[in-house]
Amino acid sequence: MKIENLSYPTIFFGSEENSVIILKKLISLPYLKIVAVVTQPPRPKGRKQILTPTPVNQFAQKHHLTILTPQKLDQKVINYFNKGKKPKLGVLAAYGKIIPQKLIDIFSWGIINIHPSLLPQFRGPTPVEMALLSGQKETGVSIFLIDFQVDHGPLLTQTKEKICLHDSQESLSKRLFKLGAETLANTLPQYLSKQITPTPQNHQKATFTKLLNRDDGYIKYGALKKAINQGGPKAIKIERKIRAYHPWPGTFTKIKTQKRMKILKAHLENNRLILEQIQLEGKKPTAWNR
């Protein structure tokens, strides 16, 4: 069976900038028809808190795709798909909500997730951050079928990727989603022609990540000063944290006036922390010159 001669009605679930990388690839595949895009509702953004659609929403508008922005993936959404769209396949990339089993069940080919880690390692919302924080030399992308548990479903394939010395969460995530888009494109024809059998993960080896908030980026001033002046293992950990939390939630310390000082860029030299760019509260970013 040549899938190139078929058309699979597909729903895409995604919200972030990196999700767009996957959606771009999907709309280029001749055997898929994107019948709807499901993304998070618009959120207030910036200092003026302007209500802003997600990057996926903005991309989908430009390409005249049907867009859904439900607050909840409830029975109304399921009924909408069952009545009109009748999707066969779902593809999910950094959507931001858990998909209920009732919704998964309407897809005859299931919902495929692109996850930026080598599952079962680093399940959950922050796999790239945790890979950098823990000093991993290698990570990768997992293509798998979702089930009712987070990042728990059977694997279709995985692709490994080296972590570079100066990778941040931003640079590594973008590279992994590009890799994920290519891996997905290579995997879908095999999966849809039943040449791939989904393989259960080794759940005993699973590790988990958590959501981050702004306070997670706090670094004690004394620890920062010691990392700069003396170096050592603490300097290595702080430098990893700066890269792992860039651009969000970011890292910061509190100087003597209790004002925040953001640490925007740093590197290691002889195991000592070298600050490159900082931003004092209420000021513009500037070079560190102490």
Side-chain angles (χ1 to χ4, degrees), residues 14-31:
S15 300
E16 298 178 6
E17 192 71 48
N18 286 321
S19 310
V20 176
I21 297 170
I22 306 299
L23 182 54
K24 273 184 183 178
K25 177 58 69 173
L26 292 178
I27 64 175
S28 74
L29 301 177
Y31 51 86

Side-chain angles (χ1 to χ4, degrees), residues 113 115-117 119-130 144 150-152 207-211:
N113 192 357
H115 185 77
S117 85
L119 292 172
Q121 188 179 42
F122 301 137
R123 290 177 178 174
T126 52
V128 177
E129 292 90 333
M130 294 306 112
F144 72 102
V150 176
D151 300 331
H152 176 276
T207 58
F208 300 87
T209 67
K210 67 180 183 71
L211 281 169

Side-chain angles (χ1 to χ4, degrees), residues 163-181:
I163 297 177
C164 300
L165 193 62
H166 300 297
D167 263 328
S168 66
Q169 184 272 334
E170 184 176 47
S171 65
L172 183 55
S173 289
K174 189 170 186 178
R175 200 162 72 249
L176 287 172
F177 275 90
K178 284 181 177 178
L179 179 64

Side-chain angles (χ1 to χ4, degrees), residues 13 16 91-101 104 111-130 140-158 177 199-211:
F13 300 81
E16 298 178 6
V91 177
L92 186 149
Y95 170 52
K97 289 180 183 286
I98 294 174
I99 311 295
Q101 189 64 49
I104 298 171
I111 300 177
I112 294 174
N113 192 357
I114 298 91
H115 185 77
S117 85
L118 296 173
L119 292 172
Q121 188 179 42
F122 301 137
R123 290 177 178 174
T126 52
V128 177
E129 292 90 333
M130 294 306 112
V141 171
S142 298
I143 310 293
F144 72 102
L145 292 169
I146 69 169
D147 59 17
F148 66 97
Q149 297 185 55
V150 176
D151 300 331
H152 176 276
L155 295 164
L156 300 182
T157 191
Q158 293 181 315
F177 275 90
T199 305
Q201 296 181 38
N202 185 343
H203 304 302
Q204 293 181 342
K205 292 187 176 181
T207 58
F208 300 87
T209 67
K210 67 180 183 71
L211 281 169

Side-chain angles (χ1 to χ4, degrees), residues 126-290:
T126 52
V128 177
E129 292 90 333
M130 294 306 112
L132 291 168
L133 272 180
S134 59
Q136 302 293 310
K137 305 294 185 187
E138 185 179 66
T139 184
V141 171
S142 298
I143 310 293
F144 72 102
L145 292 169
I146 69 169
D147 59 17
F148 66 97
Q149 297 185 55
V150 176
D151 300 331
H152 176 276
L155 295 164
L156 300 182
T157 191
Q158 293 181 315
T159 306
K160 294 180 179 180
E161 176 72 11
K162 287 184 179 179
I163 297 177
C164 300
L165 193 62
H166 300 297
D167 263 328
S168 66
Q169 184 272 334
E170 184 176 47
S171 65
L172 183 55
S173 289
K174 189 170 186 178
R175 200 162 72 249
L176 287 172
F177 275 90
K178 284 181 177 178
L179 179 64
E182 294 304 320
T183 302
L184 179 65
N186 292 333
T187 303
L188 275 173
Q190 298 174 61
Y191 173 62
L192 294 171
S193 58
K194 298 184 179 181
Q195 296 177 47
I196 289 179
T197 301
T199 305
Q201 296 181 38
N202 185 343
H203 304 302
Q204 293 181 342
K205 292 187 176 181
T207 58
F208 300 87
T209 67
K210 67 180 183 71
L211 281 169
L212 299 171
N213 59 55
R214 291 194 182 279
D215 290 338
D216 288 317
Y218 175 63
I219 300 169
K220 290 181 180 179
Y221 182 73
L224 182 66
K225 194 174 179 180
K226 188 175 180 180
I228 293 168
N229 294 332
Q230 299 177 28
K234 192 69 177 178
I236 295 171
K237 286 185 178 180
I238 290 175
E239 190 269 346
R240 286 177 184 168
K241 187 171 184 175
I242 293 166
R243 290 187 291 113
Y245 289 179
H246 177 79
W248 198 92
T251 48
F252 68 96
T253 191
K254 288 185 178 179
I255 55 179
K256 292 178 182 179
T257 58
Q258 288 301 300
K259 284 190 174 183
R260 285 193 176 205
M261 183 183 83
K262 292 181 182 179
I263 304 155
L264 303 179
K265 196 173 181 183
H267 68 274
L268 291 172
E269 266 183 35
N270 299 320
N271 284 343
R272 286 176 58 193
L273 185 69
I274 309 295
L275 298 188
E276 296 179 51
Q277 190 179 45
I278 56 103
Q279 184 177 9
L280 293 170
E281 194 172 328
K283 304 289 184 180
K284 293 181 179 180
T286 185
W288 174 263
N289 55 11
R290 296 186 184 181

